[in-house]
Amino acid sequence: MIERFTTLIGHHDIPTLLLAILICTAGSILFVQLLGRARRTDGLQRVIWTFYSGLVGGGTVWTTHFIAMLAWRRDLLLGFDPILTGSSLVIAVLVTALGAHIVAIGAERRWVEFGGLIIGLGIASMHFLGMAGINLCADLTANPGGIVLAILLAAGFSVLAVHRLARPITRFCRFGGALSFALAILLLHLTGIGALDVEIDQALLAMGKSFSPYLMVEAIIAVMVLILMTAGGAYLNDSRHKEETNRRYRHMAMHDSLTGLPNRPQIQEHLVATLEDVEHEDSWVAVLSLDLDRFKEINDVHGHAAGDEVLRTLADRFATLQDDHVMIGRFGGDEFLAVIGPVWRKGTIHTLAERLLAEVRKPMPWQGHELSVGISIGMARFPEDGSNAEQLLDRADLAMYRAKENGKNRIERYEAGMEESNRSRAALAMDLRNAIGNDEFEIYYQLQNDTVTGKALGAEALLRWHHPERGMVPPSEFIPISEDTGLITQIGEMVLRRACHDAAAWPNRMRLAVNVAPKQLLDDKFIRIVQEALLESGLSPGRLELEITESSIIADQQHALHVIRQLKAFGVRIAMDDYGTGYSSLSTLHNFPFDKIKIDRSFIADLPGNDHSAAIVRATLILGKALKIPILAEGVETEEHIAFLKNEGCQELQGFFFGKPMRLNRLNEHFGELTQDGSSQENDCELRSAEMKPVPARGVA
């Protein structure tokens, strides 16, 4: 057996045989790749890749066979029959394509292996048809046992090849499949040739050869190169396309689709990597949690297209602030996150936070409107505020919530104890949802008085919450929570309707003042709610005064102006509340038809001793006089306050000097007492300072 194999190899031209092995190996690798691609596709794509698989697989079998035949007994070779030679290529391609298609669609084991069997039979068919097309100056006698063995080897290794491809157990199985396919081709050739007995025809040998075997090798190689280039080019082009698609998918998976900024997974991954890099360095890493203020109002009034434009605009601005030490991403909704570090100066962190604040404050044009939002920023630093990414993210969020509680549009750093405060706030938010249905709210009223006469002009409605367990919860705690949770519109509507009903029973000239939250003013139903409250209660529109802060209208001045004009059209009065604490823009006073300006209590508290407060109050009073807008001072608690304000020309007063906020029954009793003391039926009630003791302690109105 060994002697027969040695003789067989000795009859081959080794360089040409090695060339056949090289082509067989390259073709087998590409065939397996194409077949794998066919199995991962479907429909027309599968048909295309199956065709390419058959073209490359059949071409590899055909090329290997004929180059190997040119390497075997070249001295006996006279030529090739063109019809049989061409037919063998067609047979090889078609049968291999058929087997590849069965492998591609075969999900169950028997169909995959059956496809491999078809491929093996195709290899054998091509080999023997190709042998029939070879002209030799010799007679060939086949050994049946050797022929059967050759066919079994081709079929067996073909089945093994597709089995490794379709049933991989390691990442190297694909290479094992390519090797098995190459062995199926080569072993068929060697075994098939070894099964032949050759008897030389001396007469034909003496006639000589009529063609050049080298030219034949070149022609066969050219055909195979063309096949490989066609299928290989398609495979490479598809691979590049898939790589580009995968790259886009990876980018999409790590970036926000709307803004293009890094998304939550990427920025969290970046934070973890940054912390690992600075763990042993003398530097800092900071996490900034950013949450937009008044963003929901923009969505509610102008729609999500305007909200999306705001987010895109802010993303473009944030992108200009990014560098090797700063990554800013969108966490979702109107939440952003910035990771800063490593930095070696703490001031760098605060500087960037201020720049973020400034960028957000810039107005944004939208279809003729000037949209404006604010931002609350919470900051947590490594290593002081947290030792890992999770702690820093959570604590930056807590600081951001504190920024919202403290007035929004500001920066807060994490402090110890915020976790407990946040848990308490969350519990309060849950209780707040049930407070309306459980009738836990009560409206108190604080009188507003004429500065000169002391007569009561009306009262402001102030909401109080009687919590069943915590007792009285101050508005400074639950109002911010109601704004964040969106409950403020429901609570505000309840206060408006109930207060109008209460005020309808007051003396006829007593005005009712009701605070309006920013979300209420931006609610499309707000005008209708006001009209319904007046109609249902019977309260005259001229007795209702809605108090609006400048921050309520700054988000969308055009919409706010439209609402205010409609309210004034049917007689409702509008007051600017907390003047001096917000933007205090002269253009706002110029553009909006206010009926009153209320000076915030913070400027009244230090009168008359504080020169700055006194100057601001005087300037506001002069401005009101010039614009013919009455001024009301809040927080009046002492006779010195009254004397100063009266001397400066302030028309109206409100504060503890005239009494704390009182329940409705106490207010009604008070009105009744004044009427019995001689006030006219026109109900000009009077409270004189001499009759009431000043209240020294200040409180939340």
Side-chain angles (χ1 to χ4, degrees), residues 158-399:
S158 295
V159 169
L160 180 61
V162 299
H163 178 82
R164 291 294 81 202
L165 175 66
R167 328 284 182 194
I169 55 176
T170 71
R171 59 193 180 96
F172 300 107
C173 283
R174 180 161 297 189
F175 298 103
L179 176 62
S180 297
F181 185 70
L183 288 174
I185 299 171
L186 293 172
L187 290 177
L188 172 66
H189 168 76
L190 293 176
T191 307
I193 294 297
L196 297 176
D197 292 323
V198 180
E199 184 177 345
I200 300 175
D201 188 331
Q202 296 297 333
L204 292 175
L205 183 62
M207 293 175 61
K209 292 177 284 187
S210 60
F211 81 105
S212 169
Y214 298 104
L215 184 62
M216 187 66 180
V217 170
E218 293 172 359
I220 294 172
I221 292 176
V223 171
M224 188 58 191
V225 168
L226 182 62
I227 292 174
L228 292 176
M229 288 179 62
T230 301
Y235 179 79
L236 292 175
N237 183 62
D238 185 70
S239 296
R240 282 194 298 269
H241 175 72
K242 285 187 176 296
E243 184 178 347
E244 176 64 21
T245 301
N246 290 336
R247 188 192 65 78
R248 288 200 303 270
Y249 284 153
R250 285 194 298 271
H251 183 274
M252 291 171 59
M254 301 301 286
H255 289 79
D256 176 58
S257 59
L258 176 64
T259 64
L261 292 175
N263 62 7
R264 181 188 294 264
Q266 183 179 2
I267 202 164
Q268 287 179 325
E269 181 180 312
H270 173 74
L271 174 59
V272 172
T274 302
L275 292 175
E276 290 176 352
D277 290 341
V278 301
E279 188 174 358
H280 303 295
E281 296 183 18
D282 186 21
S283 57
W284 287 273
V285 174
V287 174
L288 303 184
S289 178
L290 318 172
D291 191 86
L292 299 183
D293 303 324
R294 302 189 302 275
F295 179 73
K296 185 178 184 299
E297 287 86 339
I298 290 177
N299 270 336
D300 292 343
V301 174
H302 298 288
H304 290 285
D308 289 347
E309 182 61 25
V310 168
L311 294 175
R312 282 190 290 263
T313 300
L314 291 178
D316 292 340
R317 295 177 184 177
F318 291 165
T320 63
L321 304 178
Q322 297 193 91
D323 55 31
D324 292 341
H325 300 288
V326 178
M327 176 181 282
I328 305 173
R330 183 185 177 207
F331 249 36
D334 59 349
E335 299 177 26
F336 295 83
L337 192 82
V339 175
I340 308 170
V343 294
W344 286 263
R345 292 179 60 252
K346 293 182 180 179
T348 304
I349 300 170
H350 193 76
T351 298
L352 179 69
E354 291 287 357
R355 291 180 65 188
L356 287 167
L357 204 63
E359 289 294 336
V360 174
R361 284 173 173 169
K362 296 177 184 177
M364 287 160 276
W366 167 257
Q367 297 182 355
H369 300 270
E370 286 287 333
L371 304 181
S372 176
V373 295
I375 192 167
S376 298
I377 301 178
M379 178 192 305
R381 288 200 307 245
F382 170 88
E384 301 101 313
D385 302 331
S387 58
N388 56 56
E390 184 177 358
Q391 282 184 339
L392 290 173
L393 290 170
D394 290 343
R395 291 173 178 178
D397 276 344
L398 292 175

Side-chain angles (χ1 to χ4, degrees), residues 441-461:
F441 288 114
E442 184 178 5
I443 300 177
Y444 280 49
Y445 294 93
Q446 187 171 37
L447 291 169
Q448 297 176 337
N449 299 78
D450 183 274
T451 306
V452 178
T453 66
K455 292 180 179 180
L457 302 174
E460 179 182 0

Side-chain angles (χ1 to χ4, degrees), residues 350-625:
H350 193 76
T351 298
L352 179 69
E354 291 287 357
R355 291 180 65 188
L356 287 167
L357 204 63
E359 289 294 336
V360 174
R361 284 173 173 169
K362 296 177 184 177
M364 287 160 276
W366 167 257
Q367 297 182 355
H369 300 270
E370 286 287 333
L371 304 181
S372 176
V373 295
I375 192 167
S376 298
I377 301 178
M379 178 192 305
R381 288 200 307 245
F382 170 88
E384 301 101 313
D385 302 331
S387 58
N388 56 56
E390 184 177 358
Q391 282 184 339
L392 290 173
L393 290 170
D394 290 343
R395 291 173 178 178
D397 276 344
L398 292 175
M400 181 269 292
Y401 291 130
R402 177 63 58 86
K404 285 189 173 294
E405 291 174 5
N406 291 343
K408 302 181 180 180
N409 208 33
R410 57 188 291 128
I411 304 167
E412 291 284 349
R413 167 124 182 261
Y414 169 78
E415 296 176 356
M418 283 186 177
E419 284 96 342
E420 181 59 35
S421 175
N422 185 62
R423 283 191 289 270
S424 175
R425 187 178 186 277
L428 203 61
M430 295 179 63
D431 294 341
L432 189 61
R433 296 182 184 277
N434 302 320
I436 299 175
N438 295 339
D439 197 26
E440 297 172 9
F441 288 114
E442 184 178 5
I443 300 177
Y444 280 49
Y445 294 93
Q446 187 171 37
L447 291 169
Q448 297 176 337
N449 299 78
D450 183 274
T451 306
V452 178
T453 66
K455 292 180 179 180
L457 302 174
E460 179 182 0
L462 302 171
L463 187 63
R464 296 294 183 261
W465 180 13
H466 297 279
H467 192 281
E469 297 177 0
R470 303 189 186 195
M472 191 71 76
V473 180
S476 58
E477 287 189 28
F478 72 81
I479 292 298
I481 296 175
S482 67
E483 290 176 340
D484 292 341
T485 57
L487 292 172
I488 190 65
T489 54
Q490 185 179 358
I491 294 174
E493 180 180 350
M494 179 270 295
V495 171
L496 179 64
R497 292 181 185 274
R498 190 182 298 180
C500 286
H501 180 271
D502 293 344
W506 297 349
N508 291 338
R509 291 186 179 179
M510 291 297 166
R511 294 195 300 264
L512 167 67
V514 179
N515 289 281
V516 176
K519 283 183 167 58
Q520 287 179 271
L521 191 64
L522 292 171
D523 188 351
D524 292 335
K525 302 188 294 292
F526 180 64
I527 296 174
R528 177 177 57 79
I529 290 171
V530 174
Q531 291 174 325
E532 289 177 355
L534 292 171
L535 290 172
E536 292 169 0
S537 65
L539 182 68
S540 171
R543 294 175 58 195
L544 176 62
E545 187 172 87
L546 299 178
E547 298 184 355
I548 299 171
T549 62
E550 191 171 8
S551 60
S552 298
I553 62 181
I554 198 66
D556 186 349
Q557 294 194 21
Q558 288 87 347
H559 177 78
L561 183 59
H562 171 72
V563 172
I564 289 173
R565 283 175 174 169
Q566 285 192 286
L567 291 171
K568 285 183 65 66
F570 55 89
V572 175
R573 295 166 55 85
I574 305 296
M576 175 184 277
D577 196 14
D578 298 338
Y579 184 79
T581 61
Y583 297 90
S584 301
S585 169
L586 296 180
S587 64
T588 303
L589 293 177
H590 177 266
N591 295 328
F592 285 80
F594 292 110
D595 298 293
K596 184 185 292 183
I597 297 174
K598 298 184 69 174
I599 303 177
D600 187 70
R601 70 184 65 249
S602 60
F603 299 104
I604 306 301
D606 297 330
L607 293 178
N610 188 300
D611 293 340
H612 288 86
S613 295
I616 291 172
V617 171
R618 286 194 187 99
T620 304
L621 291 169
I622 293 171
L623 180 63
K625 184 177 181 180

